[in-house]
Amino acid sequence: MPILAPPALIFFCNSVLFISLFTRLPSIQASMQVNKATLGLALLGGALGTVLALPIAGKINNWLSPRRTAALSLMILSFVMPLLAIVPYAGFVSCFVFFAFIRTMLDVAQNMISTGIEQSSGVKVLSRSHGFWSVGLLLGTMASSWAAGQGITPVGHLAAIGVFVFVCALVVLRITPEMSSLTAAKSSGNTPIFIRPTRGILLVALMLFGLAIIEGAIYDWGMFLIRERITTDPARAGLLFAFFTIGMGVTRLSGDWLREIFRPSILLRASAVSVALGLGIILNFENEWLAAIALALIGCGVAFNYPLAVSTVISMRSVNSPAENLAALSMVMLIATIGIPPLLGSVAELYGIATSFVAILPLTPLAFFMAPVSEGRGLQRDENVGQEAR
């Protein structure tokens, strides 16, 4: 059994669950008979579920083991998926909080499994594992497009996805190795729940912020933009959304090669230009082929954002460990972006979905001008503090 198989399957299933839900959100919204502003408030449940899970996700993984946590999380999510399509609004909010809570457990487990395999085998699998997230986005989007075109209801579609993921969870349980005590670090009793972010972490978060907001907006509201501006056909809308996932997937799978050729700041600036160009095209033209090109450009542009931020944080020297710095970055980004989904929903309800994306277009220069941070510029103070601490 190839050592890449376990994390690849987990990342793939995680992304299929995620994208299957969000590509059917317009139909779910219609069935709940709520407007975009109200749906945006419901999407706050994702942030709430993550906040509730972050303090205990590592401990749960250490208690159950990453292997069991990943399999159990996938099984639970397979049952939650169809519920999201049939419950009333209040039930949707509750289920969505729980959905985000369990997915946070799964996110920690899948990364612990990938890094554990790297440590025990010496073979790099983390980047390729994340590549399978993009593969799952693409195939999940295409499956959603086909299901919508065949007139399959969201509950039928999400139930089928749930069955598929449940079977995959059994496979995950069988093929995933147990992490040894050396690869699955145990958290000590005095480990702080929340890590105070350093100046360097705040600079990386500022670099990450603009493109992260746009990526999240595409996930949350991209299908609404396509169906209101480009095509009302749900099947064709799903195919168009697939171009976003194709752009992201191709860029990530070739990312290691590109990083050997170009400096991080150049890649990040090119990413910002690509996103700005893509948004400019889709907001000014209503042609399907141009929309496909625009979505692919946006996918290419957001693909490097988080990996470059993680690479910067891991290489940073400070008073905190790399793992603690990553936790601090996650918390800063969660707090910084928590109100964005309902805000964009309110703007869309009052002024139209296109206006929501016009409002976030000016965020692209933020990544462009903060790009030097990806090469460690401006982080020297954190490094000096780290040296003094040692």
Side-chain angles (χ1 to χ4, degrees), residues 207 259 262-273 304 308 312 367-377:
M207 176 189 79
R259 289 175 65 187
F262 301 104
R263 289 162 41 197
S265 61
I266 294 175
L267 290 173
L268 195 57
R269 283 174 170 163
S271 297
V273 171
F304 273 126
L308 286 177
T312 304
F368 189 93
F369 290 114
M370 294 299 295
V373 173
S374 65
E375 297 176 3
R377 299 181 198 175

Side-chain angles (χ1 to χ4, degrees), residues 291-322:
I293 294 171
L295 288 163
L297 285 171
I298 297 170
C300 291
V302 301
F304 273 126
N305 192 37
Y306 189 71
L308 286 177
V310 169
S311 177
T312 304
V313 167
I314 288 176
S315 62
M316 181 192 304
R317 290 182 294 169
S318 73
V319 294
N320 300 324
S321 70

Side-chain angles (χ1 to χ4, degrees), residues 51-271:
V51 167
L52 294 174
L54 276 175
I56 63 172
K59 293 179 174 60
I60 293 295
N61 272 271
N62 288 333
W63 176 49
L64 289 176
S65 81
R67 167 179 163 266
R68 293 188 183 90
T69 302
L72 182 60
S73 296
L74 289 173
M75 290 177 183
I76 293 172
L77 290 171
S78 69
F79 285 101
V80 175
M81 284 290 283
L83 292 179
L84 286 161
I86 59 175
V87 293
Y89 180 75
F92 179 88
V93 173
S94 299
C95 286
F96 194 65
V97 171
F98 186 63
F99 178 82
F101 181 92
I102 298 299
R103 276 198 70 241
T104 302
M105 300 291 175
L106 179 59
D107 288 344
V108 172
Q110 67 189 12
N111 283 290
M112 289 180 72
I113 289 169
S114 295
T115 54
I117 289 174
E118 286 190 347
Q119 291 175 17
S120 61
S121 69
V123 178
K124 299 298 184 185
V125 299
L126 185 59
S127 295
R128 285 179 292 167
S129 297
H130 279 274
F132 277 88
W133 164 271
S134 298
V135 173
L137 289 182
L138 173 59
L139 296 183
T141 301
M142 294 178 66
S144 293
S145 174
W146 178 84
Q150 297 297 312
I152 298 173
T153 62
V155 62
H157 172 208
L158 298 183
I161 294 296
V163 171
F164 168 77
V165 169
F166 188 89
V167 173
C168 289
L170 297 176
V171 177
V172 166
L173 194 61
R174 183 176 181 83
I175 69 174
T176 305
E178 285 287 6
M179 300 294 101
S180 69
S181 58
L182 293 176
T183 58
K186 304 296 180 182
S187 57
S188 62
N190 57 4
T191 301
I193 291 177
F194 299 109
I195 305 298
R196 181 172 176 265
T198 62
R199 173 179 176 272
I201 291 298
L202 295 176
L203 286 174
V204 174
L206 190 60
M207 176 189 79
L208 180 64
F209 181 78
L211 297 188
I213 291 296
I214 293 169
E215 181 181 359
I218 292 292
Y219 287 137
D220 293 345
W221 303 106
M223 283 296 290
F224 291 89
L225 179 68
I226 295 169
R227 291 184 64 172
E228 291 185 17
R229 282 188 55 82
I230 310 301
T231 176
T232 57
D233 183 347
R236 297 182 71 85
L239 288 174
L240 285 175
F241 193 90
F243 280 88
F244 168 75
T245 65
I246 291 171
M248 178 186 287
V250 170
T251 305
R252 282 186 172 171
L253 290 174
S254 60
D256 292 335
W257 173 71
L258 290 172
R259 289 175 65 187
E260 290 179 358
I261 300 174
F262 301 104
R263 289 162 41 197
S265 61
I266 294 175
L267 290 173
L268 195 57
R269 283 174 170 163
S271 297

